[in-house]
Structures are given as C-alpha cells and as structure tokens.
C-alpha cells in the first residue's frame, strides 16, 4: 500500500451571540471581541453579521486533538460572553430573529459581498460548520471530492439544525441550506476529471474578474483556496460539541476509506448530481426521519440501516485513525434525532404544557445555550 496520508483536521464553526436571559440576538461588543482575540488570536474573528462569531481550530493530528481545540475555543468564547450577559449558540438559524434587523460587519470582504449579492446577502443570518481534511496531493483531492459527494446528503441530514425561521416552522430540517442557495457557486460540487480541470474552471472566473480566487466558490465540498485540504461545507452548525466531533470523524474516516479503496484500484459508487441532488433535498426537507435513496436498489433506506452500513465500511479506517469512539456517536445522534427534531420537540412540549409561542421559543433558546457548553 502507498505511504499513509495523515488526514490532518481543521474545524471552522460559526456561532450566534444571544442575550443569556431572553435568547434574543445581540451584536458582539467590541470589548468582547478584543477579549477573545487576546486569548485566541487569529482562531476567532467576526463573521458577516455583527451578531456572529467565527472560529477556526489549529491543525490537529487526530480527532482527539481536534476536540480539545474546539472545546477550548467554545469555552473561551462562552466565558468572555458571560461577562457581558451574553451567550454563544451553535445553530444554523436563530428560531425567531429577523434578518432585516441585523447589522453587517464593517469589513472590506463583507462590504464587497453585500454589494455583489445585493438583497440575497441580507438574509444570511445562517451558521455552518466546515471540516478541513489534509490531503497534500492535488490529484487525489479531486478524486476524493468526486467520491465523497455521495455522503454529503448523509452529513446534512445528521447536522440539520434549522427548522424555524422568523418564528415559523418551515417544515424543513435545514432551512439554512435554502437560504445559502441564493448565492452563486453553491450546492453539490461538479464532477471534475482532474486538478487541471478544476484550476481551469476557477481561472475562467478569476480571469474574467468575476471572483478574486477560489474562496468565493462555495460548493458543499471544495478544495480549499488557502490550505492543502478538502473542505466539507454542507453541515449546519451543531449545538452540541460531541455531535460536531462525530461529524468530523465521519468525514475523516470516510475519506480514508475512499483513499484505501483507490489504492486497490477500486472506487465508491458515483452518480450524477441530478440523483445526488434528490438525496440532498431529502436531507434538507426531512433530516433523518425519511431515509435516503439507494440508487442501486431503487428504494429508500432508513437512516439506522444507512448508519450501520456506513460504520461497517469505515471500521478499518476509524481504527487506523483512532477515531472509533467518535464515529460510533453516529448511533446516538440517530437515536436522539438531529437538532432540528430536538428543537421541534422542545417547542411542542412547551406549548402542550400551556406555554405561549414566545415562551416555547424561549425554551428552545435556553436549550441551545445549554447544549453549547454540554460537552466542554
């Protein structure tokens, strides 16, 4: 077998800042951002809206180290926010906040995006989670991107955390996905035949002055424009740290499995984006509850069955990467339901107990605040 690839990890998360008592969105005070910067340096920064905070972990050799980095970042931001009566939450959409009332961060990149995207950018009150996996070889990066696309709907279904928007149930598990779809160059990545083809495609846009570089290609999965990594971008932000780590471990182990197959001249099943997009829609709409399509057998497979097949496929790789306990968290995520289901349950339970809609949404917000620190 060819020389082992390290499959190093980096995680980016976007958080919303809320009032610790009411759960209402709150802009990040400058003093809060300065305190976070003093402790975390360039691992923390503002996001598109002033109520958002973005973090990025250092490079981690394995999932255990990645978890320690992420726990430290979450804990630091929560501690500093508490000094201002605020709390961070990790969720793809605030259940009730109005995007029209949010201020944009005064930064060149964000001013440019706002100008280019117009009204589309103003709805971007959404938060995601990105997983970078180190793959030094460019050709391999493209090959694995083509194959990992099969699993993108699975990751979305697990991470879905945005059922509510403007105080209404959207009936979707991931409303964030539909908001972000308003941007160009989003969705499933096209199948690329080589690294050269990818670079030519990017150059066609940069050469025409449409984009400055590949960082404005916002596919669900892309070769990073800044690092020698494959960046998975499809996930909603997850309220709970350990769920985030399970998703990270699944991405890492699945990429190693695909690489292992390639060393034997084997490949994972590949289908056109027309079909993969159907599973992506099912994940957006239903999350974990209605299963995904197996295009080989032409039937819908429930997610508990999907999970066992997935864990079996990556078992050797999870062992090699020492992330078996983290990937095994997949079973617990399915048993509990994703964060979208849990928010709906909390909301419905509060209403059944006689709460008003405002009180029921506050119960959801208190749960999100507590989940952020649960696994620290």
């Amino acid at each position: 077998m060819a020389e082992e690839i390290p499959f190093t990890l980096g995680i980016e998360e976007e958080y919303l800042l809320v009032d610790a008592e009411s759960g209402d969105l709150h802009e990040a005070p400058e003093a809060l951002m300065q305190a976070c910067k003093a402790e975390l340096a360039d691992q923390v920064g503002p996001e598109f809206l002033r109520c958002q905070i973005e973090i990025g972990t250092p490079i981690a050799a394995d999932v255990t180290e990645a978890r320690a980095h992420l726990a430290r970042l979450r804990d630091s931001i929560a501690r500093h926010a508490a000094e201002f009566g605020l709390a961070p939450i990790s969720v793809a959409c605030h259940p009730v906040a109005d995007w029209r009332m949010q201020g944009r961060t005064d930064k060149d990149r964000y001013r440019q995006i706002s100008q280019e995207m117009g009204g589309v950018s103003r709805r971007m009150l959404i938060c995601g989670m990105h997983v970078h996996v180190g793959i030094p070889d460019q050709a391999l990066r493209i090959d694995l991107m083509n194959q990992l696309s099969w699993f993108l709907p699975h990751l979305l279904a697990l991470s879905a955390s945005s059922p509510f928007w403007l105080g209404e149930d959207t009936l979707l598990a991931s409303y964030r996905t539909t908001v972000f779809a308003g941007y160009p160059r989003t969705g499933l990545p096209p199948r690329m035949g080589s690294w050269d083809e990818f670079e030519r495609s990017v150059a066609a846009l940069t050469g025409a002055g449409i984009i400055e570089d590949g960082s404005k290609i916002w596919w669900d999965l892309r070769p990073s424009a800044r690092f020698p990594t494959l960046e998975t971008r499809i996930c909603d932000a997850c309220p709970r740290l350990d769920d985030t780590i399970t998703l990270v471990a699944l991405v890492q182990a699945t990429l190693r499995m695909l690489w292992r197959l390639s060393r034997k001249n084997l490949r994972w099943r590949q289908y056109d984006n027309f079909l993969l997009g159907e599973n992506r829609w099912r994940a957006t709409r239903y999350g974990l509850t209605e299963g995904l399509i197996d295009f080989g057998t032409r039937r819908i497979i429930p997610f508990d069955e999907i999970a066992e097949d997935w864990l079996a496929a990556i078992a050797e790789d999870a062992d090699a990467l020492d992330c078996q306990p983290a990937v095994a968290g997949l079973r617990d995520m399915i048993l509990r339901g994703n964060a979208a289901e849990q928010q709906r349950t909390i909301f419905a339970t509060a209403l059944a107990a006689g709460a008003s809609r405002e009180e029921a949404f506050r119960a959801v917000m208190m749960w999100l605040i507590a989940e952020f620190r649960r696994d620290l």
Side-chain angles (χ1 to χ4, degrees):
M1 181 173 284
E3 183 181 353
E4 182 78 25
I5 294 172
F7 296 101
T8 53
L9 293 168
I11 306 166
E12 295 175 290
E13 286 190 314
E14 297 159 345
Y15 306 140
L16 295 173
L17 201 62
V18 300
D19 183 279
E21 296 297 325
S22 68
D24 293 339
L25 273 184
H26 197 289
E27 293 187 357
E30 182 59 31
L32 167 59
M33 294 306 300
Q34 289 177 356
C36 290
K37 279 280 189 182
E39 181 174 344
L40 303 171
D42 61 357
Q43 295 171 43
V44 64
E47 242 296 333
F48 185 73
L49 298 176
R50 291 201 294 267
C51 58
Q52 292 175 298
I53 297 176
E54 180 179 35
I55 63 91
T57 68
I59 298 172
D62 53 34
V63 165
T64 299
E65 186 179 348
R67 189 192 187 285
H69 286 319
L70 192 56
R72 178 178 54 84
L73 286 163
R74 283 196 175 206
D75 179 68
S76 176
I77 291 170
R79 281 190 290 102
H80 289 302
E83 296 173 4
F84 296 84
L86 304 175
I89 59 172
S90 181
V91 67
C93 295
H94 190 285
V96 300
D98 189 337
W99 55 268
R100 292 166 293 194
M101 306 299 292
Q102 310 310 314
R104 188 194 68 221
T105 299
D106 187 20
K107 190 176 178 181
D108 286 344
R109 175 177 171 82
Y110 298 141
R111 284 195 296 271
Q112 182 184 12
I113 288 175
S114 183
Q115 180 63 32
E116 289 178 356
M117 304 302 169
V120 172
S121 70
R122 296 173 198 141
R123 290 198 308 147
M124 294 296 287
L125 185 56
I126 57 175
C127 295
M129 186 272 288
H130 305 164
V131 184
H132 289 261
V133 178
I135 301 171
D137 183 81
Q138 295 171 336
L140 183 61
R141 238 175 283 161
I142 292 298
D143 185 34
L144 295 185
M145 180 180 78
N146 290 336
Q147 297 183 69
L148 188 65
S149 290
W150 166 269
F151 295 93
L152 293 176
H154 304 55
L155 295 167
L156 176 60
L158 286 163
S159 67
S161 67
S162 44
F164 299 114
W165 182 256
L166 291 174
E168 297 294 336
D169 192 330
T170 67
L171 301 183
L172 304 181
S174 175
Y175 191 73
R176 162 191 162 268
T177 309
T178 71
V179 175
F180 197 54
Y183 269 33
R185 304 176 293 280
T186 59
L188 294 168
R191 185 167 294 120
M192 293 286 176
S194 66
W195 179 263
D196 287 344
E197 181 183 347
F198 170 70
E199 286 201 316
R200 286 195 301 271
S201 298
V202 176
L205 298 183
T206 57
I210 305 300
I211 59 176
E212 304 86 58
D213 55 45
S215 68
K216 286 193 175 177
I217 293 173
W218 294 303
W219 298 331
D220 296 337
L221 175 68
R222 70 180 184 187
S224 171
R226 295 186 295 158
F227 310 112
T229 64
L230 195 56
E231 180 185 1
T232 304
R233 302 169 46 84
I234 197 169
C235 292
D236 276 8
C238 290
R240 183 180 293 192
L241 170 62
D242 279 351
D243 289 348
T244 297
I245 295 303
T246 290
L247 292 166
V248 170
L250 287 168
V251 171
Q252 185 193 38
T254 302
L255 281 170
R256 189 186 185 281
M257 179 269 290
L258 297 174
W259 167 79
R260 176 169 52 84
L261 291 180
S262 73
R263 300 306 91 189
K264 301 175 182 178
N265 204 29
L266 299 172
R267 302 182 65 76
W268 193 257
R269 61 200 76 163
Q270 293 187 62
Y271 290 93
D272 188 83
N273 278 358
F274 169 71
L275 294 178
L276 296 184
E278 196 65 29
N279 267 345
R280 187 181 188 275
W281 163 247
R282 292 185 67 82
T284 298
R285 172 64 177 85
Y286 302 113
L288 298 171
T289 61
E290 298 297 325
L292 297 175
I293 307 164
D294 183 305
F295 299 111
T297 61
R298 299 188 179 183
R299 65 189 184 97
I300 297 171
I301 309 297
F303 225 95
D304 55 351
E305 184 178 333
I306 290 170
E308 293 307 317
D309 289 345
W310 194 358
L311 290 172
I314 63 175
E316 176 182 334
D317 309 282
D319 285 340
L321 295 166
D322 198 23
C323 65
Q324 191 65 261
V327 298
L330 171 60
R331 295 189 180 99
D332 185 49
M333 291 181 74
I334 292 171
L335 185 65
R336 283 186 283 113
N338 61 27
E341 295 172 56
Q342 293 177 78
Q343 288 175 71
R344 284 194 174 108
T345 297
I346 292 165
F347 184 75
T349 300
L351 289 180
S356 66
R357 287 179 62 84
E358 181 179 355
E359 291 167 335
F361 275 123
R362 186 176 180 278
V364 172
M365 293 306 306
M366 294 304 106
W367 177 80
L368 289 169
I369 290 171
E371 286 292 279
F372 188 89
R373 302 204 65 170
R374 173 185 290 270
D375 300 320
L376 299 184

